[in-house]
Amino acid sequence: GVVAASAGNHAQGVALAGAPDCLAPATPGVNWSYCHMEGARMARAQLGGANLSNASLVGADLQGAHLATSDLSYANLGAVNLHAADLRATNLKGAVLHKADLSGSDLSDADLSYANLTGANVTDAILKDADFSKATWIDGRLCAAASLGACQ
């Protein structure tokens, strides 16, 4: 019985340590993985290094938000306002950015491989060294592998 209890406690501890807290306030490093935050109002939020992987933020307002080095992989960011957001070195692999407003945002060194950018607004966005490998570009075409800084 002791071994089983010990193993159970260990597994529980691991789950608690890495568990997302969908009610946690917007803070750097917050874990909102898999959270449903459609339409959330988080303009200028400080979310550097946050885990938003697989989260749904459809229609959310993240204008001017600081999301540098955050994990937004496979997140649904459809129609999200990311105007002037800091997305430097952000993981957006496989993210849905359909009709998202990325105008004036900084996507330097961001990973947008396999992301869907159909209908997104990238006017005046900084795309320096952003990885668009196998991404679906704003006009619906598939970017080539090793597309850095632009869809090739």
Side-chain angles (χ1 to χ4, degrees):
V2 174
V3 174
S6 167
N9 290 340
H10 177 71
Q12 186 182 15
V14 170
L16 289 174
D21 183 354
C22 299
L23 299 176
T27 53
V30 70
N31 184 350
W32 284 341
S33 179
Y34 290 95
C35 294
H36 287 270
M37 308 182 85
E38 294 86 357
R41 299 279 159 255
M42 296 185 287
R44 293 173 297 286
Q46 297 297 311
L47 294 165
N51 181 356
L52 291 145
S53 64
N54 298 284
S56 178
L57 291 151
V58 175
D61 181 5
L62 285 160
Q63 178 171 333
H66 177 79
L67 288 152
T69 70
S70 292
D71 183 356
L72 287 149
S73 58
Y74 306 101
N76 188 342
L77 303 166
V80 168
N81 180 358
L82 284 160
H83 172 72
D86 181 355
L87 296 162
R88 289 173 297 163
T90 298
N91 181 358
L92 286 154
K93 181 175 186 171
V96 175
L97 290 155
H98 177 70
K99 295 190 175 171
D101 183 1
L102 293 161
S103 61
S105 65
D106 188 346
L107 287 157
S108 303
D109 299 306
D111 180 358
L112 288 119
S113 59
Y114 301 95
N116 182 345
L117 292 144
T118 312
N121 180 356
V122 294
T123 307
D124 296 327
I126 300 165
L127 305 178
K128 183 182 179 293
D129 295 325
D131 184 356
F132 293 104
S133 302
K134 303 284 187 183
T136 304
W137 192 238
I138 54 178
D139 57 8
R141 68 190 161 98
L142 190 63
C143 304
S147 288
L148 282 179
C151 180
Q152 286 145 6

